[in-house]
Amino acid sequence: MYLVEIKRDGKMVRDMGMQMAAQMYVLNNIFLDDDIIMPYRCDPAVQIGKFQNTIEEIDVDYVETHHLPIVRRDTGGGAIYMDMGEANFIFILSNPGTVSENFKRIYDPAISGLQALGAQQVQQRGRNDLEIEGHKVSGSAQTIIKGRLYAGYSLLMDIDGETMASALRPNAKKIASKGVKSVRKRVGGIRQYLSPEYQAISVDEFEELMLKHFLAVSDLADAKRYEFTTEDWEAIDQLYAEKYGNWDWNFGASPRYSFNNDGRFDAGTVDISIDINHGKIEHIRIFGDFFGEGEIFDVEEALIGCSVQRDKLIDQLTAIDLDHYIKGLKPEELATLILNY
């Protein structure tokens, strides 16, 4: 098995979107004479499944306030909060089997590796989780592309439970969507279950120990490696710009959904009913007890086709002179009502 580290200029890349671009580049372009493992650890971010509606998985206000990137992956499954407290592994394997066979194939080495570190009670639960004493310590996802299995999971060494709970808790809202929703489970950190001699190891050391187990080497210097070239990074940069660092993929690819929202402002009460498709307003109705000189229909028409991004909404509402239609209502206020799901 080849070890492929997401390194650039000798440094590990920690941006989740760039990591995702690197993984998919390898999957689609790098064909070696053996399987591939790609370890990675990332700065705080939220990763959502391919078929999920982004806004149903996160607290938009919290995520925006704390500047947490949102990245959509190419596999199914639920939303996860990720940070430097966990070790993550991607496997690119030939000869994929059934879904259950594939999950067992990637999880068996993790189970034996964790048991070797003292976590004797770890076991696979359901289809794609690892649990210890009822606590989820890993979740995995998979897909098959070009005849190869692309699968991965996170091993939760240390947990920032407060941020996880806050980021993955959607605001209360009236929303109808066909997106796949996450099933929230109790999660726990692996550290407490390790043998005493491993209790104080860093997450870097934990990752290295697991990698040695996966690769069956006593020193990672002995591992077979593929290193990215300048040409590889140029292609990865392009993929990041076009997809994983792009709002259209991370938010706009959400399934069609509808919701209602209302708010009280100095201008009066404003109530909206809205349909969103591919991240853009498909239909909107605005009601309320406000005053204005223009026909509110003009505001609704101006918003059709606008992306549900704060800056784009504000620009559009400023351009039509919103005050002419809803006296005293600021573009920022209506944009917030649209975004506050």
Side-chain angles (χ1 to χ4, degrees):
M1 180 176 285
Y2 280 88
L3 172 61
V4 180
E5 296 180 296
I6 310 176
K7 278 187 176 180
R8 191 170 201 169
D9 300 325
K11 297 181 179 179
M12 299 298 293
V13 173
R14 300 302 189 192
D15 179 274
M16 181 188 289
M18 191 64 75
Q19 292 170 338
M20 194 78 67
Q23 294 166 19
M24 296 308 294
Y25 172 78
V26 171
L27 175 64
N28 286 289
N29 298 280
I30 304 300
F31 294 86
L32 306 172
D33 58 5
D34 202 349
D35 294 330
I36 293 170
I37 184 170
M38 300 181 69
Y40 70 101
R41 294 175 59 217
C42 62
D43 293 329
V46 174
Q47 186 183 109
I48 64 169
K50 181 177 181 179
F51 307 109
Q52 294 187 297
N53 187 334
T54 304
I55 68 160
E56 288 191 289
E57 299 300 320
I58 64 173
D59 184 318
V60 178
D61 292 337
Y62 184 91
V63 166
E64 288 187 351
T65 299
H66 291 80
H67 308 291
L68 295 176
I70 307 295
V71 181
R72 184 185 299 275
R73 62 178 178 266
D74 287 86
T75 55
I80 53 175
Y81 167 74
M82 303 177 69
D83 61 19
M84 293 292 286
E86 61 200 49
N88 311 293
F89 302 94
I90 290 295
F91 299 87
I92 299 176
L93 309 176
S94 58
N95 303 315
T98 66
V99 170
S100 59
E101 288 171 345
N102 292 335
F103 280 128
K104 179 175 172 51
R105 185 177 175 186
I106 62 172
Y107 262 152
D108 279 354
I111 292 172
S112 60
L114 290 172
Q115 289 175 338
L117 298 179
Q120 295 297 323
Q121 298 183 49
V122 62
Q123 55 186 313
Q124 186 175 345
R125 286 287 191 182
R127 185 173 58 175
N128 63 325
D129 292 339
L130 292 184
E131 291 187 8
I132 303 177
E133 296 182 354
H135 290 88
K136 177 179 176 179
V137 298
S138 178
S140 61
Q142 63 169 288
T143 189
I144 297 174
I145 298 177
K146 293 189 175 181
R148 295 201 290 180
L149 175 67
Y150 169 75
Y153 48 73
S154 300
L155 296 179
L156 308 179
M157 183 65 163
D158 298 316
I159 301 293
D160 180 353
E162 181 177 348
T163 300
M164 180 185 295
S166 298
L168 299 182
R169 182 180 59 205
N171 288 336
K173 53 191 174 283
K174 299 175 182 177
I175 183 168
S177 167
K178 293 184 179 180
V180 177
K181 300 175 181 63
S182 292
V183 178
R184 308 298 180 199
K185 296 182 179 180
R186 293 176 61 199
V187 297
I190 292 170
R191 183 181 300 277
Q192 62 182 313
Y193 301 107
L194 301 181
S195 298
E197 63 267 32
Y198 298 114
Q199 286 285 319
I201 61 173
S202 67
V203 184
D204 280 335
E205 292 169 328
F206 172 68
E207 178 188 84
E208 182 175 336
L209 287 168
M210 294 301 295
L211 270 177
K212 289 178 182 178
H213 181 78
F214 294 149
L215 296 168
V217 297
S218 58
D219 190 326
L220 290 183
D222 298 328
K224 294 188 297 184
R225 294 173 182 266
Y226 177 86
E227 297 184 358
F228 291 117
T229 65
T230 299
E231 291 73 21
D232 289 336
W233 276 115
E234 289 174 353
I236 292 168
D237 286 339
Q238 182 177 353
L239 184 56
Y240 173 80
E242 293 175 350
K243 189 172 182 178
Y244 301 103
N246 193 304
W247 185 93
D248 288 338
W249 169 252
N250 295 320
F251 277 83
S254 294
R256 188 178 186 275
Y257 61 94
S258 305
F259 70 93
N260 301 306
N261 201 8
D262 60 79
R264 293 186 60 84
F265 308 93
D266 291 341
T269 299
V270 180
D271 191 312
I272 62 171
S273 177
I274 189 168
D275 298 325
I276 307 293
N277 194 15
H278 296 299
K280 296 182 179 180
I281 296 175
E282 187 175 68
H283 179 265
I284 184 171
R285 293 297 307 275
I286 303 173
F287 309 92
D289 61 2
F290 49 80
F291 296 95
E293 299 176 21
E295 294 292 334
I296 199 64
F297 174 79
D298 294 339
V299 178
E300 296 168 347
E301 282 293 296
L303 289 171
I304 300 298
C306 185
S307 297
V308 284
Q309 296 174 265
R310 188 176 301 276
D311 56 346
K312 294 187 182 298
L313 289 168
I314 291 174
D315 288 347
Q316 189 75 352
L317 293 169
T318 300
I320 64 172
D321 185 15
L322 181 63
D323 187 73
H324 177 68
Y325 299 94
I326 306 178
K327 195 67 178 177
L329 187 68
K330 300 179 177 61
E332 294 82 1
E333 292 175 324
L334 184 53
T336 296
L337 192 65
I338 293 172
L339 292 169
N340 195 29
Y341 309 116

